[in-house]
Amino acid sequence: MDYFDPHIHMVSRTTDDYATLARMGCVGMSEPAFWAGFDRGSAASFRDYFRQLTEFERSRAANYGIAHYTWLCINAKEAENVELSREVIAMIPEFLERPNVLGIGEIGLNKNTKNESIVFLEHLDVAAKYDELVLIHTPHLHDKYLGTRMILDMLVKDARLKPQRVLVDHVEEHTIGEVLDRGFWAGMTLYPVSKCTPARAADMVEQFGTERLCVNSAGDWGPSQPTAVPNFIFEMRRRGHSEATIRKIVYENPLTFFRQCRRFQFAPRL
Amino acid sequence: MSPPANSLPANSPLANSPLANSPLATVGSPMTAQQVLDREFLEVRARVLKIAATLDRIDRSAAPAADAGRMEQIRQGLQILLSDAPDRARQVQMLFSLPYRSDWPQQLGVPLENRG
Ligand SMILES: [Zn+2]
């Protein structure tokens, strides 16, 4: 089945991974800007990263017939440095009109601190000013519920942002209901250790339906599985769900969300 | 007025959960309860055994004793599993979550009013 992985960090993956994903049916992916595993030293380092996301990864993916899209920001882990964050945020508009850019992301909270909240709000300002889509990272483990509620509070207080143009990622059983009920898109991240399994993601589909819901691998430089979306497809099939239901979640939903971006172009396979 | 197709019936055990008032149409499980049990039985058995062996190992290990707060969380988690609630996974998640307070902007000193 053709599918999209709407959240994967390919700069941390090998070309062999692109080849594997293409063979498993991946026709498109979106790569949010993320933490490198160490704090970057300067805004110039982010400029190089944004070039990698908008130039090199796009062509590396194209070699395997995969459409590569991306999101720009300084991530929550580095947002404690407000001065550096402001330099990076000021640079984002330079890159916004590049053809594979979908919007601002993955912004959000990590430890739910004051500085993270301030930098999150300043990113939202850029998204509102330039009318960009937003992709949101929610924290992990015991911080997730509080952080997700804080993020939702900040989003609904800003009348410029339309919920249907915002995807809140890494939802789990205790956060998915509120995200969907308030009109936002939700992403379920399939991860071997700290997040959700394919079975629990399928459980949430069964309970919450298929509207405004996506699944992703969030594959990165840590323990993660870039092939997690095909694992989800397999789990849904094993349970007896229809191909139409599965396809809506892994293909049609990401396309519907991305098509709200004025730059988005995608040619489905013939 | 009759409820929309696929929405929760009034007598659903989920009537008190956050799902109850959701406008979202659920997909439901195509498998019977027996099919789910047949598929998952050995997996659940293995996980229950793993928890039992871990609790035994904590008990027979030397001082200092395991952190009482986290041991209590585990005990409460096991209590949730023994209940008949329809949303045990959500309840376990909440048990292991920091609480939310709506006055967090004042507490942190983050100005949230008059945006946009
Ligand atoms: Zn990510």
Side-chain angles (χ1 to χ4, degrees):
Chain A
M1 179 182 288
D2 284 2
Y3 77 90
F4 268 78
D5 191 335
H7 189 143
I8 187 163
H9 300 287
M10 292 307 293
V11 301
S12 308
R13 311 298 315 188
T14 63
T15 299
D16 290 346
D17 285 337
Y18 276 115
T20 302
L21 294 176
R23 288 188 178 93
M24 295 187 108
C26 182
V27 293
M29 53 177 53
S30 89
E31 173 157 8
F34 183 50
W35 189 52
F38 61 94
D39 290 350
R40 295 175 179 87
S42 67
S45 176
F46 280 87
R47 179 174 270 109
D48 289 339
Y49 179 42
F50 292 169
R51 281 191 52 217
Q52 186 180 14
L53 289 171
T54 54
E55 297 168 18
F56 182 63
E57 285 311 321
R58 187 169 176 237
S59 64
R60 204 157 69 111
N63 285 334
Y64 294 88
I66 297 173
H68 179 278
Y69 306 93
T70 192
W71 305 79
L72 305 176
C73 76
I74 175 167
N75 62 88
K77 277 196 179 158
E78 283 163 301
E80 273 309 319
N81 186 340
V82 176
E83 194 184 333
L84 174 64
S85 299
R86 287 183 171 143
E87 284 181 57
V88 175
I89 291 170
M91 187 176 67
I92 289 174
E94 279 177 43
F95 290 86
L96 278 180
E97 288 307 322
R98 295 200 170 192
N100 71 332
V101 174
L102 291 174
I104 305 298
E106 59 182 305
I107 56 170
L109 300 176
N110 179 45
K111 292 290 171 200
N112 305 330
T113 67
K114 176 178 183 172
N115 283 351
E116 289 170 12
S117 304
I118 287 169
V119 170
F120 178 76
L121 290 168
E122 293 186 11
H123 275 112
L124 291 185
D125 271 335
V126 175
K129 188 171 164 203
Y130 291 89
D131 196 24
E132 295 292 339
L133 299 180
V134 178
L135 179 69
I136 291 179
H137 166 95
T138 54
H140 305 310
L141 300 172
H142 67 292
D143 292 311
K144 180 178 296 293
Y145 180 73
L146 171 61
T148 303
R149 294 289 304 266
M150 289 170 65
I151 285 166
L152 293 177
D153 285 350
M154 290 188 271
L155 287 169
V156 300
K157 279 267 160 59
D158 194 328
R160 300 169 298 176
L161 299 164
K162 296 188 184 78
Q164 69 269 23
R165 291 175 57 81
V166 178
L167 190 151
V168 179
D169 222 324
H170 317 320
V171 299
E172 293 185 29
E173 290 87 346
H174 52 326
T175 56
I176 182 173
E178 188 132 24
V179 169
L180 290 174
D181 279 348
R182 293 198 194 192
F184 298 100
W185 285 74
M188 298 183 290
T189 295
L190 311 169
Y191 225 58
V193 192
S194 61
K195 297 178 192 114
C196 183
T197 61
R200 281 172 48 215
D203 289 340
M204 284 189 263
V205 170
E206 290 172 358
Q207 294 176 84
F208 289 89
T210 58
E211 286 304 316
R212 285 180 280 115
L213 193 54
C214 301
V215 295
N216 61 72
S217 70
D220 58 23
W221 45 262
S224 49
Q225 243 170 357
T227 55
V229 177
N231 292 346
F232 167 81
I233 293 171
F234 184 62
E235 170 68 19
M236 290 286 285
R237 271 192 195 132
R238 270 189 87 195
R239 293 186 185 196
H241 286 290
S242 72
E243 294 295 295
T245 297
I246 303 170
R247 186 180 154 88
K248 174 151 173 64
I249 296 165
V250 302
Y251 186 83
E252 288 161 22
N253 279 355
L255 271 177
T256 302
F257 181 67
F258 296 159
R259 280 196 179 114
Q260 298 180 88
C261 171
R262 61 190 172 278
R263 293 173 296 271
F264 182 73
Q265 291 195 328
F266 176 74
R269 283 211 261 217
L270 297 173
Chain B
M1 197 181 87
S2 62
N6 293 329
S7 77
L8 293 167
N11 62 351
S12 162
L14 288 173
N16 294 320
S17 88
L19 275 176
N21 299 315
S22 168
L24 303 163
T26 63
V27 170
S29 169
M31 298 171 78
T32 66
Q34 185 61 43
Q35 285 172 325
V36 176
L37 181 65
D38 286 344
R39 202 185 133 183
E40 300 291 345
F41 184 77
L42 284 178
E43 176 80 21
V44 172
R45 176 186 183 276
R47 285 174 186 244
V48 171
L49 254 179
K50 185 177 176 181
I51 293 170
T54 304
L55 294 175
D56 288 349
R57 198 180 318 136
I58 291 170
D59 283 351
R60 69 169 188 270
S61 296
D67 173 69
R70 280 194 282 168
M71 289 304 295
E72 179 55 26
Q73 271 192 322
I74 289 173
R75 245 174 246 118
Q76 287 179 24
L78 295 173
Q79 290 293 339
I80 292 169
L81 302 193
L82 291 174
S83 77
D84 294 326
D87 59 347
R88 280 166 287 207
R90 188 188 69 82
Q91 288 192 38
V92 170
Q93 291 274 24
M94 290 306 293
L95 171 67
F96 291 100
S97 294
L98 290 173
Y100 162 82
R101 284 181 47 167
S102 60
D103 65 350
W104 70 265
Q106 293 79 44
Q107 298 294 327
L108 279 187
V110 175
L112 255 200
E113 298 312 315
N114 304 321
R115 286 184 53 77

PDB file of all heavy atoms in Angstrom, chain A residues 156-182:
ATOM      1  N   VAL A 156      -5.276  27.729  21.642  1.00  0.00           N
ATOM      2  CA  VAL A 156      -6.650  28.250  21.566  1.00  0.00           C
ATOM      3  C   VAL A 156      -6.720  29.722  21.949  1.00  0.00           C
ATOM      4  O   VAL A 156      -7.680  30.405  21.589  1.00  0.00           O
ATOM      5  CB  VAL A 156      -7.644  27.417  22.415  1.00  0.00           C
ATOM      6  CG1 VAL A 156      -7.679  25.970  21.929  1.00  0.00           C
ATOM      7  CG2 VAL A 156      -7.304  27.466  23.886  1.00  0.00           C
ATOM      8  N   LYS A 157      -5.704  30.224  22.653  1.00  0.00           N
ATOM      9  CA  LYS A 157      -5.687  31.644  23.007  1.00  0.00           C
ATOM     10  C   LYS A 157      -5.334  32.528  21.818  1.00  0.00           C
ATOM     11  O   LYS A 157      -5.460  33.745  21.884  1.00  0.00           O
ATOM     12  CB  LYS A 157      -4.678  31.887  24.141  1.00  0.00           C
ATOM     13  CG  LYS A 157      -5.227  31.546  25.511  1.00  0.00           C
ATOM     14  CD  LYS A 157      -5.845  32.781  26.167  1.00  0.00           C
ATOM     15  CE  LYS A 157      -6.814  32.447  27.280  1.00  0.00           C
ATOM     16  NZ  LYS A 157      -6.245  31.678  28.368  1.00  0.00           N
ATOM     17  N   ASP A 158      -4.823  31.918  20.740  1.00  0.00           N
ATOM     18  CA  ASP A 158      -4.405  32.705  19.584  1.00  0.00           C
ATOM     19  C   ASP A 158      -5.437  32.554  18.470  1.00  0.00           C
ATOM     20  O   ASP A 158      -5.477  31.543  17.765  1.00  0.00           O
ATOM     21  CB  ASP A 158      -3.028  32.237  19.097  1.00  0.00           C
ATOM     22  CG  ASP A 158      -2.403  33.240  18.138  1.00  0.00           C
ATOM     23  OD1 ASP A 158      -3.163  33.909  17.395  1.00  0.00           O
ATOM     24  OD2 ASP A 158      -1.170  33.367  18.138  1.00  0.00           O
ATOM     25  N   ALA A 159      -6.287  33.573  18.325  1.00  0.00           N
ATOM     26  CA  ALA A 159      -7.409  33.485  17.391  1.00  0.00           C
ATOM     27  C   ALA A 159      -6.950  33.430  15.931  1.00  0.00           C
ATOM     28  O   ALA A 159      -7.735  33.095  15.041  1.00  0.00           O
ATOM     29  CB  ALA A 159      -8.335  34.681  17.596  1.00  0.00           C
ATOM     30  N   ARG A 160      -5.675  33.769  15.671  1.00  0.00           N
ATOM     31  CA  ARG A 160      -5.205  33.766  14.286  1.00  0.00           C
ATOM     32  C   ARG A 160      -5.002  32.349  13.754  1.00  0.00           C
ATOM     33  O   ARG A 160      -4.938  32.124  12.550  1.00  0.00           O
ATOM     34  CB  ARG A 160      -3.878  34.520  14.181  1.00  0.00           C
ATOM     35  CG  ARG A 160      -3.946  35.974  14.624  1.00  0.00           C
ATOM     36  CD  ARG A 160      -2.556  36.581  14.750  1.00  0.00           C
ATOM     37  NE  ARG A 160      -1.759  35.900  15.767  1.00  0.00           N
ATOM     38  CZ  ARG A 160      -0.472  36.170  16.027  1.00  0.00           C
ATOM     39  NH1 ARG A 160       0.165  37.076  15.315  1.00  0.00           N
ATOM     40  NH2 ARG A 160       0.175  35.519  16.970  1.00  0.00           N
ATOM     41  N   LEU A 161      -4.823  31.374  14.680  1.00  0.00           N
ATOM     42  CA  LEU A 161      -4.484  30.012  14.267  1.00  0.00           C
ATOM     43  C   LEU A 161      -5.744  29.156  14.161  1.00  0.00           C
ATOM     44  O   LEU A 161      -6.496  29.050  15.122  1.00  0.00           O
ATOM     45  CB  LEU A 161      -3.516  29.393  15.279  1.00  0.00           C
ATOM     46  CG  LEU A 161      -2.190  30.131  15.436  1.00  0.00           C
ATOM     47  CD1 LEU A 161      -1.487  29.680  16.714  1.00  0.00           C
ATOM     48  CD2 LEU A 161      -1.302  29.890  14.227  1.00  0.00           C
ATOM     49  N   LYS A 162      -5.932  28.543  12.993  1.00  0.00           N
ATOM     50  CA  LYS A 162      -7.092  27.662  12.818  1.00  0.00           C
ATOM     51  C   LYS A 162      -6.705  26.250  13.224  1.00  0.00           C
ATOM     52  O   LYS A 162      -5.683  25.727  12.756  1.00  0.00           O
ATOM     53  CB  LYS A 162      -7.538  27.676  11.356  1.00  0.00           C
ATOM     54  CG  LYS A 162      -8.028  29.031  10.867  1.00  0.00           C
ATOM     55  CD  LYS A 162      -8.628  28.899   9.470  1.00  0.00           C
ATOM     56  CE  LYS A 162      -9.028  30.239   8.910  1.00  0.00           C
ATOM     57  NZ  LYS A 162      -7.841  30.997   8.398  1.00  0.00           N
ATOM     58  N   PRO A 163      -7.523  25.607  14.080  1.00  0.00           N
ATOM     59  CA  PRO A 163      -7.161  24.256  14.552  1.00  0.00           C
ATOM     60  C   PRO A 163      -6.910  23.267  13.420  1.00  0.00           C
ATOM     61  O   PRO A 163      -6.024  22.416  13.532  1.00  0.00           O
ATOM     62  CB  PRO A 163      -8.372  23.833  15.387  1.00  0.00           C
ATOM     63  CG  PRO A 163      -9.089  25.081  15.731  1.00  0.00           C
ATOM     64  CD  PRO A 163      -8.760  26.099  14.689  1.00  0.00           C
ATOM     65  N   GLN A 164      -7.653  23.384  12.330  1.00  0.00           N
ATOM     66  CA  GLN A 164      -7.484  22.400  11.245  1.00  0.00           C
ATOM     67  C   GLN A 164      -6.165  22.578  10.500  1.00  0.00           C
ATOM     68  O   GLN A 164      -5.825  21.789   9.639  1.00  0.00           O
ATOM     69  CB  GLN A 164      -8.668  22.444  10.260  1.00  0.00           C
ATOM     70  CG  GLN A 164      -8.769  23.693   9.406  1.00  0.00           C
ATOM     71  CD  GLN A 164      -9.625  24.780  10.051  1.00  0.00           C
ATOM     72  OE1 GLN A 164      -9.801  24.816  11.266  1.00  0.00           O
ATOM     73  NE2 GLN A 164     -10.160  25.674   9.231  1.00  0.00           N
ATOM     74  N   ARG A 165      -5.392  23.640  10.838  1.00  0.00           N
ATOM     75  CA  ARG A 165      -4.075  23.859  10.221  1.00  0.00           C
ATOM     76  C   ARG A 165      -2.935  23.514  11.176  1.00  0.00           C
ATOM     77  O   ARG A 165      -1.777  23.851  10.936  1.00  0.00           O
ATOM     78  CB  ARG A 165      -3.964  25.314   9.727  1.00  0.00           C
ATOM     79  CG  ARG A 165      -4.903  25.575   8.529  1.00  0.00           C
ATOM     80  CD  ARG A 165      -4.905  27.038   8.100  1.00  0.00           C
ATOM     81  NE  ARG A 165      -3.586  27.551   7.756  1.00  0.00           N
ATOM     82  CZ  ARG A 165      -2.975  27.356   6.581  1.00  0.00           C
ATOM     83  NH1 ARG A 165      -3.562  26.635   5.653  1.00  0.00           N
ATOM     84  NH2 ARG A 165      -1.782  27.865   6.362  1.00  0.00           N
ATOM     85  N   VAL A 166      -3.274  22.836  12.257  1.00  0.00           N
ATOM     86  CA  VAL A 166      -2.273  22.471  13.277  1.00  0.00           C
ATOM     87  C   VAL A 166      -2.357  20.967  13.553  1.00  0.00           C
ATOM     88  O   VAL A 166      -3.447  20.448  13.798  1.00  0.00           O
ATOM     89  CB  VAL A 166      -2.535  23.241  14.595  1.00  0.00           C
ATOM     90  CG1 VAL A 166      -1.527  22.822  15.660  1.00  0.00           C
ATOM     91  CG2 VAL A 166      -2.498  24.750  14.361  1.00  0.00           C
ATOM     92  N   LEU A 167      -1.215  20.279  13.502  1.00  0.00           N
ATOM     93  CA  LEU A 167      -1.177  18.848  13.852  1.00  0.00           C
ATOM     94  C   LEU A 167      -0.401  18.693  15.161  1.00  0.00           C
ATOM     95  O   LEU A 167       0.749  19.129  15.267  1.00  0.00           O
ATOM     96  CB  LEU A 167      -0.523  18.034  12.736  1.00  0.00           C
ATOM     97  CG  LEU A 167      -0.637  16.500  12.859  1.00  0.00           C
ATOM     98  CD1 LEU A 167      -0.621  15.844  11.478  1.00  0.00           C
ATOM     99  CD2 LEU A 167       0.453  15.881  13.720  1.00  0.00           C
ATOM    100  N   VAL A 168      -1.058  18.094  16.157  1.00  0.00           N
ATOM    101  CA  VAL A 168      -0.423  17.857  17.454  1.00  0.00           C
ATOM    102  C   VAL A 168       0.064  16.407  17.477  1.00  0.00           C
ATOM    103  O   VAL A 168      -0.745  15.478  17.376  1.00  0.00           O
ATOM    104  CB  VAL A 168      -1.407  18.122  18.611  1.00  0.00           C
ATOM    105  CG1 VAL A 168      -0.733  17.855  19.956  1.00  0.00           C
ATOM    106  CG2 VAL A 168      -1.930  19.554  18.547  1.00  0.00           C
ATOM    107  N   ASP A 169       1.378  16.252  17.597  1.00  0.00           N
ATOM    108  CA  ASP A 169       1.958  14.920  17.409  1.00  0.00           C
ATOM    109  C   ASP A 169       2.245  14.207  18.731  1.00  0.00           C
ATOM    110  O   ASP A 169       2.197  14.815  19.799  1.00  0.00           O
ATOM    111  CB  ASP A 169       3.240  15.029  16.582  1.00  0.00           C
ATOM    112  CG  ASP A 169       3.313  13.908  15.561  1.00  0.00           C
ATOM    113  OD1 ASP A 169       2.870  12.791  15.867  1.00  0.00           O
ATOM    114  OD2 ASP A 169       3.802  14.166  14.451  1.00  0.00           O
ATOM    115  N   HIS A 170       2.575  12.917  18.603  1.00  0.00           N
ATOM    116  CA  HIS A 170       2.887  12.032  19.733  1.00  0.00           C
ATOM    117  C   HIS A 170       1.719  11.941  20.715  1.00  0.00           C
ATOM    118  O   HIS A 170       1.926  11.886  21.925  1.00  0.00           O
ATOM    119  CB  HIS A 170       4.147  12.498  20.497  1.00  0.00           C
ATOM    120  CG  HIS A 170       5.299  12.939  19.640  1.00  0.00           C
ATOM    121  ND1 HIS A 170       5.667  12.303  18.482  1.00  0.00           N
ATOM    122  CD2 HIS A 170       6.188  13.963  19.792  1.00  0.00           C
ATOM    123  CE1 HIS A 170       6.712  12.928  17.957  1.00  0.00           C
ATOM    124  NE2 HIS A 170       7.044  13.929  18.721  1.00  0.00           N
ATOM    125  N   VAL A 171       0.470  11.931  20.209  1.00  0.00           N
ATOM    126  CA  VAL A 171      -0.658  11.742  21.132  1.00  0.00           C
ATOM    127  C   VAL A 171      -0.694  10.296  21.611  1.00  0.00           C
ATOM    128  O   VAL A 171      -0.241   9.387  20.924  1.00  0.00           O
ATOM    129  CB  VAL A 171      -2.028  12.108  20.496  1.00  0.00           C
ATOM    130  CG1 VAL A 171      -2.069  13.564  20.078  1.00  0.00           C
ATOM    131  CG2 VAL A 171      -2.378  11.181  19.346  1.00  0.00           C
ATOM    132  N   GLU A 172      -1.205  10.101  22.815  1.00  0.00           N
ATOM    133  CA  GLU A 172      -1.433   8.762  23.355  1.00  0.00           C
ATOM    134  C   GLU A 172      -2.840   8.729  23.964  1.00  0.00           C
ATOM    135  O   GLU A 172      -3.607   9.687  23.817  1.00  0.00           O
ATOM    136  CB  GLU A 172      -0.345   8.404  24.368  1.00  0.00           C
ATOM    137  CG  GLU A 172       1.031   8.249  23.706  1.00  0.00           C
ATOM    138  CD  GLU A 172       2.119   7.766  24.653  1.00  0.00           C
ATOM    139  OE1 GLU A 172       1.815   7.041  25.608  1.00  0.00           O
ATOM    140  OE2 GLU A 172       3.285   8.147  24.440  1.00  0.00           O
ATOM    141  N   GLU A 173      -3.145   7.651  24.673  1.00  0.00           N
ATOM    142  CA  GLU A 173      -4.526   7.415  25.125  1.00  0.00           C
ATOM    143  C   GLU A 173      -5.079   8.570  25.955  1.00  0.00           C
ATOM    144  O   GLU A 173      -6.287   8.817  25.951  1.00  0.00           O
ATOM    145  CB  GLU A 173      -4.603   6.124  25.956  1.00  0.00           C
ATOM    146  CG  GLU A 173      -4.402   4.831  25.171  1.00  0.00           C
ATOM    147  CD  GLU A 173      -2.947   4.424  25.041  1.00  0.00           C
ATOM    148  OE1 GLU A 173      -2.041   5.261  25.325  1.00  0.00           O
ATOM    149  OE2 GLU A 173      -2.694   3.269  24.653  1.00  0.00           O
ATOM    150  N   HIS A 174      -4.238   9.260  26.709  1.00  0.00           N
ATOM    151  CA  HIS A 174      -4.729  10.295  27.621  1.00  0.00           C
ATOM    152  C   HIS A 174      -4.725  11.691  27.011  1.00  0.00           C
ATOM    153  O   HIS A 174      -5.155  12.645  27.654  1.00  0.00           O
ATOM    154  CB  HIS A 174      -3.926  10.300  28.924  1.00  0.00           C
ATOM    155  CG  HIS A 174      -2.434  10.381  28.752  1.00  0.00           C
ATOM    156  ND1 HIS A 174      -1.755   9.800  27.703  1.00  0.00           N
ATOM    157  CD2 HIS A 174      -1.480  10.982  29.519  1.00  0.00           C
ATOM    158  CE1 HIS A 174      -0.459  10.034  27.837  1.00  0.00           C
ATOM    159  NE2 HIS A 174      -0.273  10.750  28.913  1.00  0.00           N
ATOM    160  N   THR A 175      -4.234  11.830  25.769  1.00  0.00           N
ATOM    161  CA  THR A 175      -4.205  13.169  25.165  1.00  0.00           C
ATOM    162  C   THR A 175      -4.961  13.236  23.841  1.00  0.00           C
ATOM    163  O   THR A 175      -5.349  14.323  23.408  1.00  0.00           O
ATOM    164  CB  THR A 175      -2.751  13.641  24.924  1.00  0.00           C
ATOM    165  OG1 THR A 175      -2.065  12.671  24.116  1.00  0.00           O
ATOM    166  CG2 THR A 175      -1.998  13.806  26.247  1.00  0.00           C
ATOM    167  N   ILE A 176      -5.190  12.111  23.186  1.00  0.00           N
ATOM    168  CA  ILE A 176      -5.792  12.122  21.846  1.00  0.00           C
ATOM    169  C   ILE A 176      -7.196  12.732  21.849  1.00  0.00           C
ATOM    170  O   ILE A 176      -7.542  13.505  20.954  1.00  0.00           O
ATOM    171  CB  ILE A 176      -5.817  10.692  21.233  1.00  0.00           C
ATOM    172  CG1 ILE A 176      -6.394  10.705  19.816  1.00  0.00           C
ATOM    173  CG2 ILE A 176      -6.569   9.703  22.120  1.00  0.00           C
ATOM    174  CD1 ILE A 176      -6.300   9.366  19.101  1.00  0.00           C
ATOM    175  N   GLY A 177      -8.005  12.430  22.877  1.00  0.00           N
ATOM    176  CA  GLY A 177      -9.399  12.876  22.886  1.00  0.00           C
ATOM    177  C   GLY A 177      -9.507  14.384  22.854  1.00  0.00           C
ATOM    178  O   GLY A 177     -10.246  14.961  22.046  1.00  0.00           O
ATOM    179  N   GLU A 178      -8.748  15.043  23.717  1.00  0.00           N
ATOM    180  CA  GLU A 178      -8.829  16.495  23.813  1.00  0.00           C
ATOM    181  C   GLU A 178      -8.314  17.176  22.529  1.00  0.00           C
ATOM    182  O   GLU A 178      -8.886  18.169  22.076  1.00  0.00           O
ATOM    183  CB  GLU A 178      -8.003  16.967  25.013  1.00  0.00           C
ATOM    184  CG  GLU A 178      -8.198  18.422  25.298  1.00  0.00           C
ATOM    185  CD  GLU A 178      -8.455  18.675  26.772  1.00  0.00           C
ATOM    186  OE1 GLU A 178      -8.048  17.833  27.589  1.00  0.00           O
ATOM    187  OE2 GLU A 178      -9.046  19.708  27.082  1.00  0.00           O
ATOM    188  N   VAL A 179      -7.253  16.635  21.957  1.00  0.00           N
ATOM    189  CA  VAL A 179      -6.691  17.207  20.721  1.00  0.00           C
ATOM    190  C   VAL A 179      -7.725  17.150  19.600  1.00  0.00           C
ATOM    191  O   VAL A 179      -7.990  18.152  18.911  1.00  0.00           O
ATOM    192  CB  VAL A 179      -5.399  16.458  20.323  1.00  0.00           C
ATOM    193  CG1 VAL A 179      -4.947  16.842  18.918  1.00  0.00           C
ATOM    194  CG2 VAL A 179      -4.289  16.730  21.345  1.00  0.00           C
ATOM    195  N   LEU A 180      -8.352  15.985  19.412  1.00  0.00           N
ATOM    196  CA  LEU A 180      -9.330  15.836  18.322  1.00  0.00           C
ATOM    197  C   LEU A 180     -10.609  16.621  18.615  1.00  0.00           C
ATOM    198  O   LEU A 180     -11.167  17.261  17.722  1.00  0.00           O
ATOM    199  CB  LEU A 180      -9.650  14.358  18.106  1.00  0.00           C
ATOM    200  CG  LEU A 180      -8.514  13.522  17.502  1.00  0.00           C
ATOM    201  CD1 LEU A 180      -8.898  12.048  17.464  1.00  0.00           C
ATOM    202  CD2 LEU A 180      -8.139  13.998  16.097  1.00  0.00           C
ATOM    203  N   ASP A 181     -11.062  16.575  19.861  1.00  0.00           N
ATOM    204  CA  ASP A 181     -12.302  17.278  20.206  1.00  0.00           C
ATOM    205  C   ASP A 181     -12.197  18.776  19.961  1.00  0.00           C
ATOM    206  O   ASP A 181     -13.193  19.436  19.669  1.00  0.00           O
ATOM    207  CB  ASP A 181     -12.674  17.032  21.675  1.00  0.00           C
ATOM    208  CG  ASP A 181     -13.367  15.684  21.855  1.00  0.00           C
ATOM    209  OD1 ASP A 181     -13.748  15.080  20.834  1.00  0.00           O
ATOM    210  OD2 ASP A 181     -13.523  15.241  23.004  1.00  0.00           O
ATOM    211  N   ARG A 182     -11.001  19.327  20.105  1.00  0.00           N
ATOM    212  CA  ARG A 182     -10.840  20.777  19.885  1.00  0.00           C
ATOM    213  C   ARG A 182     -10.588  21.121  18.430  1.00  0.00           C
ATOM    214  O   ARG A 182     -10.280  22.271  18.105  1.00  0.00           O
ATOM    215  CB  ARG A 182      -9.693  21.303  20.739  1.00  0.00           C
ATOM    216  CG  ARG A 182     -10.001  21.239  22.236  1.00  0.00           C
ATOM    217  CD  ARG A 182      -9.072  22.135  22.985  1.00  0.00           C
ATOM    218  NE  ARG A 182      -9.074  21.889  24.408  1.00  0.00           N
ATOM    219  CZ  ARG A 182      -8.512  22.711  25.283  1.00  0.00           C
ATOM    220  NH1 ARG A 182      -7.918  23.815  24.863  1.00  0.00           N
ATOM    221  NH2 ARG A 182      -8.530  22.439  26.558  1.00  0.00           N
TER     222      ARG A 182
END
